[in-house]
Amino acid sequence: AQSVTQLGSHVSVSEGALVLLRCNYSSSVPPYLFWYVQYPNQGLQLLLKYTSAATLVKGINGFEAEFKKSETSFHLTKPSAHMSDAAEYFCAVIESSNTGKLIFGQGTTLQVKP
Amino acid sequence: EAQVTQNPRYLITVTGKKLTVTCSQNMNHEYMSWYRQDPGLGLRQIYYSMNVEVTDKGDVPEGYKVSRKEKRNFPLILESPSPNQTSLYFCASSLSLWQVHTGELFFGEGSRLTVL
């Protein structure tokens, strides 16, 4: 069965610093991987997705992620953090092609300090 | 505006008092799903529906029911709520199962439920 592990439940960076949120997955088949962002009191919004095309995926708001099969990782990065990036971030993988079920990681709360 | 609407957004209730969380989408989506979000656990799927009258269990269906009598609505029913169902609930929809794979899954804003 697929699973997702996000390393670090809380990450704090200074404004302008590099953002790195870690995600490792396990999957017996080529995975469909996603990063979602959740702002306070809002639903989840898709940041970016990996669907077996390019291994470096660019998303919204300057975020990108690199799929590394050898490391089973899909880490999320942004070169320069902005205050508005403060939110909770979830990595997810499609568990089954028949159900559409997403398996989510535990979530990482990003704090951006001025 | 295309959206997934959940009601109520916030609810405090007591053990055993039946409640329904409604979910409605205006995008003519076939696929709908319910998730619950708990600290440290991420989101876990409760139920999903491929289309009208077609529903199936997710990972944590115990204590919940759903129905899909019409395409736009997918209510979540707690027949006898218990404190362990205190959680943040999200409804999500997609045009079809394939669109879920391409990331086109639209989430509602969530319903925070507290069961005392």
Side-chain angles (χ1 to χ4, degrees):
Chain A
Q2 281 84 337
S3 66
V4 174
T5 301
Q6 292 181 238
L7 300 177
S9 59
H10 288 85
V11 170
S12 182
V13 301
S14 298
E15 190 172 22
L18 171 71
V19 175
L20 171 60
L21 304 183
R22 300 177 186 273
C23 172
N24 288 88
Y25 70 92
S26 77
S27 175
S28 57
V29 297
Y32 289 85
L33 289 160
F34 308 92
W35 275 99
Y36 285 89
V37 60
Q38 183 181 30
Y39 298 104
N41 299 315
Q42 294 187 26
L44 278 73
Q45 177 182 0
L46 181 69
L47 264 182
L48 49 79
K49 61 187 178 186
Y50 169 76
T51 56
S52 75
T55 56
L56 183 62
V57 181
K58 294 187 184 300
I60 62 172
N61 301 336
F63 284 92
E64 62 181 37
E66 186 172 8
F67 172 72
K68 292 187 176 180
K69 184 178 179 180
S70 61
E71 299 178 7
T72 60
S73 69
F74 191 55
H75 302 331
L76 182 71
T77 60
K78 182 173 181 177
S80 176
H82 192 273
M83 297 295 291
S84 61
D85 294 326
E88 188 162 20
Y89 293 79
F90 292 94
C91 183
V93 64
I94 290 273
E95 195 235 22
S96 162
S97 61
N98 297 325
T99 69
K101 180 170 67 178
L102 288 170
I103 300 297
F104 285 86
Q106 303 90 325
T108 299
T109 299
L110 176 66
Q111 180 187 24
V112 182
K113 299 177 291 186
Chain B
E1 179 188 356
Q3 58 187 0
V4 179
T5 303
Q6 297 179 224
N7 279 296
R9 294 286 314 280
Y10 303 91
L11 179 64
I12 300 174
T13 189
V14 295
T15 299
K17 186 177 181 182
K18 181 179 178 180
L19 68 92
T20 299
V21 184
T22 64
C23 173
S24 181
Q25 50 87 9
N26 62 358
M27 297 170 279
N28 201 35
H29 284 175
E30 291 185 348
Y31 182 94
M32 298 186 75
S33 182
W34 276 102
Y35 286 84
R36 61 177 286 174
Q37 180 183 359
D38 301 291
L41 297 178
L43 284 80
R44 293 174 293 167
Q45 191 184 60
I46 304 171
Y47 270 95
Y48 68 96
S49 171
M50 295 288 193
N51 211 329
V52 176
E53 302 293 359
V54 181
T55 65
D56 209 343
K57 297 176 181 178
D59 286 333
V60 288
E62 296 79 16
Y64 304 96
K65 289 185 179 180
V66 293
S67 69
R68 189 88 184 275
K69 297 178 181 177
E70 48 189 343
K71 186 179 277 192
R72 66 183 294 127
N73 296 322
F74 191 44
L76 180 70
I77 303 157
L78 286 73
E79 292 272 1
S80 182
S82 62
N84 65 12
Q85 293 179 296
T86 293
S87 188
L88 178 58
Y89 292 87
F90 287 100
C91 181
S93 74
S94 186
L95 186 61
S96 71
L97 177 61
W98 173 243
Q99 266 67 32
V100 178
H101 288 74
T102 60
E104 294 166 64
L105 185 63
F106 294 83
F107 284 84
E109 293 189 319
S111 296
R112 186 169 293 281
L113 172 65
T114 301
V115 183
L116 302 176

